[in-house]
Amino acid sequence: MLFSFWRRLPISLPRPAPHCSFRRRLSLFAMGDSPAGSKPKTKPNATSAPPAFVKDEEYLQCVVPKRIALFEAILNEQTLSRLQLSPDPIKITLPDGNVKEGKKWNTTPLDVAKELSKSLAANALIAKVDGVLWDMSRPFEGDCKLELCNFDTDEGRDTFWHSSAHILGESLEQAYGCRLCIGPCTTRGDLKGFYYDGFYGDLGLNEDHFKHIEAAAKKAVDEKQSFQRIEVTRNQALDIFSENHFKVEIINDLPEDATITVYRCGPLVDLCRGPHIPNSSFIKAFSCLKASSAYWRAKKERESLQRVYGISFPDQKRLKEYKAMLEEAKKYDHRELTKKQELFFFHPLSPGSCFFLPHGARVCNKLLEFIRSQYWKRGYEEVWSPNMYNMQLWETSGHAANYKENMFVFEVDKQEFGLKPMNCPGHCLIFDHRVRSYRELPLRLADFGVLHRNELSGALSGLTRVRRFQQDDAHIFCKESQIKDEIKGVLEFISYVYKVFGFTFDLKLSTRPEKYLGDIVTWDKAEAALEEALNEFGKPWKINEADGAFYGPKIDITVFDAMGRDFQCATLQLDFQLPARFNLSYSAEDETKRERPVMIHRAVLGSVERMFAILLEHYKGKWPFWLSPRQAIVCPVSEKSQQYALEVRDRIHDAGFYVDVDTTDRTINKKVREAQMAQYNYILVVGEKEVGTGQVAVRVRDINDANLQSIDDVLNRFKDETASFK
């Protein structure tokens, strides 16, 4: 890993003018209103102009020139310092093995890209130097391996969106005089891209403001603003951002030995670890997507912020395609589809906790039955564990110190208890309740228990973010020598399930992070076992450097649905720390010795509620037969065939399938149409002819043609489709 060693020289930094002062509290509110008595917010109007407001010009006029002056002074100092360093020759090794010559502290990744080809230089967004993300304009600091990343790589795309967040932040600060907070890229969920949080006082942003923001962003892009980087001391950082208490708080929370970096693009000077794209002109398409409220540090007792989400691409075509996908997804939003299919609902008396109606519960039960059938084949044992525990358990596990604010905590008999947010500590108690032998390993414990997490009300979103949920949670206790085979088994399990659902997925191995527990030898062994399992599994995978959990390496599984959206559902993580915290052990083959098991956390569906939502949207409301809550409906043509229809319904019901009968007096065409709209997989029409032959006219949901079949043939067809997950 490379580190920067800039030689810092004592300099006298310019100070803001003595008369420069400003209000600590922003005054942003509609013209004619007072901050204390602002009018209720109105819904955004597509044709209305952005509401008038009073921008804190005094803040901008004071802060922006001051920050730029401080930034430029430090940049000049570091540039001079670098020029004094010896430009020794270095070797730069490319992915194909070719070696380029360069000069230390002088040659940059952009120089190498230009030497290779104009096209490469025009599309390279970011570099990887010995595996570390590196600005294209940042000089090399020694011999190294070089990779160049464009937008089609994860690193290039994420950097592109991160840099776009800075353009968004610049636009917001210049347009509204807000105090900027944080602006990361977002790579998962419905709104990919980036966002920026800011403090605006009493101003609430909505879609009416988007054109104004986008115009400011276009101006920044047209100016081809370079992203420049400096390293600063803690005191310098506090000096630069002294007028923004949000940034000051971030700086004060950084570790003492942290390298603090600051970036500038145009008038924006921002605290940021980087890296960034070369300049703003790479951002050819930019759009705001959504505005919402958020709390600083996600704590409801802190300041209320405004969050603006955005998306950007290197060309307009991709932006149009992305927006078309969003529109398509809106049509099949699970919160809308449930209204037509009566699957679930939420109630304000239990926010974040779903009521599954009978048809929704059918789907959930089918999912659990499916996973249980696989548990039987794959050697898992199901357990039931308590919903609430004394907080002593969570203190032992470490969750009390790191996760308590996300738990529901209450008092029982003058002792503190908490609803469980995860199953792993309870499973440690199960493992430890008696002496274990090496012969019992691997021990695979599965649990569908109810979990509760105290999510902020503003973060709740349908079934994808809830407070009460279930997981197909399991923990595997095994020996170190069994890690590879167990990981491979879990990967095969995941692959089988996702193939049934019609998902594709990608794999990444996340390795030891900067801050970790345990010794490097154990980590290296674990990573090697995971790597070997991935190679034997046979699906292509990538390394995700330094992104493992602090307690062990993990495999990240990203699943893609029919609309190309990606989600992270499955979990596969190694854990050396929880067994140590609970002092777990088993009798080794040498009975005089006790050894520590390794723990593997794994889930395939993840949250059942979230998977329900993903599948509902993935299938666009058209459930496959095996999973459908409405598998068949019998439609009698007239009252004369109604009794036979009821008999057919009973036979299908007794065979174990979900079937209804329409005994209304509507016409048969109306009945069939209603059944199609309700997404019944099969519509079985019976008239006098069918009564006489003991058959049914079978219609498939989206096909108008019907064919006559006996009841036995229909039942065999249903059984075959269920067995083959169709």
Side-chain angles (χ1 to χ4, degrees):
M1 179 148 183
L2 294 176
F3 296 88
S4 293
F5 298 97
W6 292 108
R7 188 178 301 164
R8 292 195 176 93
L9 303 175
I11 60 170
S12 176
L13 297 178
R15 308 299 306 165
H19 67 273
C20 185
S21 63
F22 51 88
R23 296 177 295 277
R24 279 285 171 189
R25 185 173 183 274
L26 284 173
S27 297
L28 300 176
F29 46 89
M31 293 290 282
D33 296 338
S34 68
S38 57
K39 295 178 181 176
K41 293 178 185 176
T42 57
K43 291 183 179 180
N45 184 323
T47 60
S48 64
F53 63 94
V54 177
K55 180 168 69 173
D56 196 343
E57 288 285 3
E58 188 178 355
Y59 171 76
L60 288 177
Q61 290 173 10
C62 169
V63 168
V64 172
K66 170 208 162 182
R67 287 181 183 164
I68 291 175
L70 293 175
F71 184 94
E72 290 299 319
I74 297 170
L75 178 63
N76 290 336
E77 170 208 357
Q78 294 184 355
T79 301
L80 288 171
S81 177
R82 177 165 55 84
L83 291 174
Q84 294 174 26
L85 299 174
S86 175
D88 300 329
I90 57 172
K91 296 184 182 298
I92 303 150
T93 306
L94 304 178
D96 62 4
N98 283 332
V99 176
K100 294 291 180 182
E101 301 290 334
K103 293 183 178 180
K104 188 177 181 180
W105 306 113
N106 193 326
T107 306
T108 68
L110 186 57
D111 294 331
V112 177
K114 287 177 178 177
E115 185 181 342
L116 293 171
S117 81
K118 289 182 179 179
S119 174
L120 183 61
N123 290 288
L125 299 173
I126 198 70
K128 286 177 76 174
V129 176
D130 288 338
V132 178
L133 289 178
W134 201 268
D135 296 288
M136 291 293 292
S137 58
R138 182 178 170 188
F140 297 112
E141 299 174 7
D143 293 341
C144 61
K145 293 180 180 178
L146 172 67
E147 296 176 62
L148 299 175
C149 306
N150 60 21
F151 187 82
D152 294 324
T153 65
D154 290 346
E155 297 89 347
R157 178 204 59 203
D158 292 353
T159 302
F160 189 92
W161 284 343
H162 182 195
S163 299
S164 300
H166 278 239
I167 298 301
L168 174 61
E170 175 187 330
S171 305
L172 294 170
E173 185 176 64
Q174 290 296 307
Y176 301 103
C178 62
R179 269 65 161 179
L180 295 175
C181 300
I182 59 169
C185 72
T186 55
T187 57
R188 300 197 189 285
D190 292 337
L191 290 179
K192 292 183 180 57
F194 49 91
Y195 68 81
Y196 219 118
D197 286 347
F199 180 67
Y200 297 76
D202 299 299
L203 177 67
L205 297 179
N206 57 44
E207 292 179 7
D208 290 343
H209 299 87
F210 287 178
K211 285 187 178 180
H212 190 45
I213 298 168
E214 290 168 358
K218 184 178 185 306
K219 179 176 179 292
V221 168
D222 291 343
E223 289 174 359
K224 199 176 180 179
Q225 297 173 356
S226 296
F227 284 87
Q228 297 173 296
R229 174 186 184 272
I230 58 172
E231 291 183 13
V232 296
T233 65
R234 185 178 300 270
N235 286 338
Q236 286 173 330
L238 290 171
D239 198 12
I240 293 170
F241 298 103
S242 60
E243 294 83 8
N244 184 328
H245 74 274
F246 301 103
K247 301 288 185 183
V248 168
E249 189 173 325
I250 294 172
I251 295 164
N252 286 330
D253 287 346
L254 292 173
E256 285 298 322
D257 59 348
T259 298
I260 303 174
T261 53
V262 175
Y263 278 81
R264 179 189 173 191
C265 61
L268 178 71
V269 175
D270 206 358
L271 181 71
C272 180
R273 65 183 176 184
H276 284 284
I277 62 177
N279 64 69
S280 60
S281 70
F282 283 76
I283 305 168
K284 299 290 194 297
F286 181 103
S287 180
C288 296
L289 296 176
K290 177 184 173 185
S292 65
S293 296
Y295 291 113
W296 171 238
R297 298 257 162 129
K299 295 180 179 179
K300 59 186 178 182
E301 66 272 13
R302 295 298 304 269
E303 295 89 339
S304 179
L305 312 174
Q306 295 292 300
R307 175 173 295 176
V308 179
Y309 291 88
I311 188 70
S312 61
F313 292 98
D315 57 73
Q316 287 290 337
K317 181 185 175 186
R318 287 197 240 201
L319 177 61
K320 288 178 182 177
E321 290 172 349
Y322 181 77
K323 286 193 170 183
M325 184 274 290
L326 289 182
E327 288 303 313
E328 178 80 357
K330 278 183 187 176
K331 292 191 292 186
Y332 302 109
D333 188 308
H334 68 282
R335 291 164 292 191
E336 294 301 317
L337 290 175
T338 186
K339 297 173 185 176
K340 301 172 184 176
Q341 298 190 22
E342 292 191 12
L343 301 170
F344 64 88
F345 73 95
F346 288 89
H347 196 281
L349 292 180
S350 187
S353 300
C354 178
F355 289 81
F356 276 105
L357 296 167
H359 289 90
R362 289 177 180 181
V363 176
C364 290
N365 285 327
K366 283 285 186 182
L367 288 171
L368 298 186
E369 288 167 14
F370 174 43
I371 296 298
R372 278 195 175 102
S373 71
Q374 291 301 307
Y375 283 165
W376 180 260
K377 296 174 182 178
R378 298 172 187 274
Y380 286 80
E381 297 288 349
E382 189 175 343
V383 297
W384 289 18
S385 55
N387 276 358
M388 54 181 273
Y389 294 90
N390 191 293
M391 284 304 292
Q392 289 179 13
L393 176 82
W394 308 108
E395 287 163 7
T396 301
S397 70
H399 290 94
N402 300 303
Y403 203 77
K404 188 174 181 179
E405 64 184 19
N406 299 109
M407 295 176 62
F408 289 98
V409 179
F410 47 90
E411 189 176 291
V412 178
D413 296 334
K414 297 184 179 179
Q415 295 185 67
E416 200 172 35
F417 279 72
L419 291 177
K420 66 177 178 183
M422 60 271 298
N423 288 308
C424 31
H427 288 188
C428 288
L429 296 184
I430 292 174
F431 184 92
D432 198 42
H433 91 283
R434 66 168 174 81
V435 175
R436 299 285 179 181
S437 165
Y438 74 93
R439 294 185 179 88
E440 296 179 73
L441 304 183
L443 179 62
R444 308 180 187 100
L445 301 179
D447 197 330
F448 292 110
V450 174
L451 306 176
H452 289 85
R453 294 180 184 173
N454 191 10
E455 302 281 0
L456 291 171
S457 58
L460 300 176
S461 178
L463 290 175
T464 59
R465 195 75 175 266
V466 291
R467 287 175 174 159
R468 183 266 186 209
F469 62 99
Q470 288 176 261
Q471 280 186 322
D472 64 326
D473 206 5
H475 296 92
I476 302 171
F477 298 90
C478 64
K479 299 186 290 183
E480 276 191 34
S481 61
Q482 296 170 326
I483 289 174
K484 185 194 77 172
D485 288 339
E486 289 305 303
I487 292 295
K488 189 177 171 184
V490 174
L491 288 172
E492 289 169 350
F493 191 172
I494 291 169
S495 180
Y496 176 79
V497 171
Y498 286 179
K499 185 176 180 181
V500 167
F501 291 155
F503 292 154
T504 57
F505 64 96
D506 286 343
L507 298 170
K508 290 181 183 176
L509 172 57
S510 295
T511 57
R512 184 179 68 249
E514 209 169 307
K515 293 183 178 179
Y516 63 92
L517 296 177
D519 61 90
I520 289 181
V521 173
T522 304
W523 273 85
D524 288 345
K525 276 188 194 175
E527 288 176 7
L530 292 184
E531 187 170 337
E532 196 174 346
L534 284 165
N535 288 333
E536 290 188 15
F537 179 59
K539 184 177 174 62
W541 57 277
K542 297 178 181 178
I543 283 280
N544 193 14
E545 295 282 359
D547 200 41
F550 69 90
Y551 50 78
K554 60 178 180 172
I555 295 175
D556 290 323
I557 301 105
T558 303
V559 63
F560 299 89
D561 71 0
M563 288 180 272
R565 299 175 301 173
D566 61 275
F567 306 90
Q568 195 157 6
C569 304
T571 299
L572 182 47
Q573 299 181 342
L574 283 188
D575 189 347
F576 309 109
Q577 302 311 314
L578 218 52
R581 294 182 77 101
F582 281 90
N583 196 27
L584 303 183
S585 64
Y586 61 88
S587 296
E589 292 184 57
D590 179 349
E591 294 184 358
T592 63
K593 293 182 179 178
R594 306 285 295 172
E595 293 184 356
R596 182 92 64 213
V598 176
M599 191 174 184
I600 300 174
H601 303 254
R602 52 107 294 189
V604 179
L605 302 179
S607 158
V608 175
E609 284 80 352
R610 187 163 182 262
M611 180 58 76
F612 184 109
I614 292 169
L615 288 171
L616 180 54
E617 295 180 6
H618 171 63
Y619 296 129
K620 300 182 178 180
K622 297 180 183 292
W623 297 102
F625 181 81
W626 75 275
L627 195 55
S628 177
R630 293 178 173 87
Q631 293 176 313
I633 185 169
V634 186
C635 297
V637 174
S638 66
E639 192 174 342
K640 294 178 182 178
S641 54
Q642 189 165 299
Q643 182 57 41
Y644 178 64
L646 292 170
E647 292 171 8
V648 171
R649 188 273 313 270
D650 290 344
R651 279 202 62 186
I652 296 173
H653 175 81
D654 291 344
F657 300 101
Y658 296 128
V659 59
D660 297 310
V661 61
D662 187 343
T663 57
T664 64
D665 59 359
R666 292 178 294 193
T667 66
I668 189 61
N669 287 338
K670 182 70 171 173
K671 288 180 180 180
V672 170
R673 180 59 184 154
E674 290 293 323
Q676 289 175 323
M677 295 293 290
Q679 301 303 330
Y680 282 93
N681 297 75
Y682 285 96
I683 303 162
L684 310 178
V685 178
V686 294
E688 292 183 56
K689 178 183 177 182
E690 287 75 24
V691 173
T693 61
Q695 295 176 303
V696 293
V698 180
R699 299 178 63 140
V700 181
R701 175 171 51 201
D702 295 322
I703 301 174
N704 290 326
D705 296 336
N707 60 85
L708 289 175
Q709 290 185 16
S710 68
I711 305 302
D712 287 339
D713 286 343
V714 169
L715 292 178
N716 286 333
R717 183 174 182 173
F718 287 1
K719 289 173 185 175
D720 289 345
E721 292 202 7
T722 301
S724 58
F725 301 106
K726 292 183 178 177

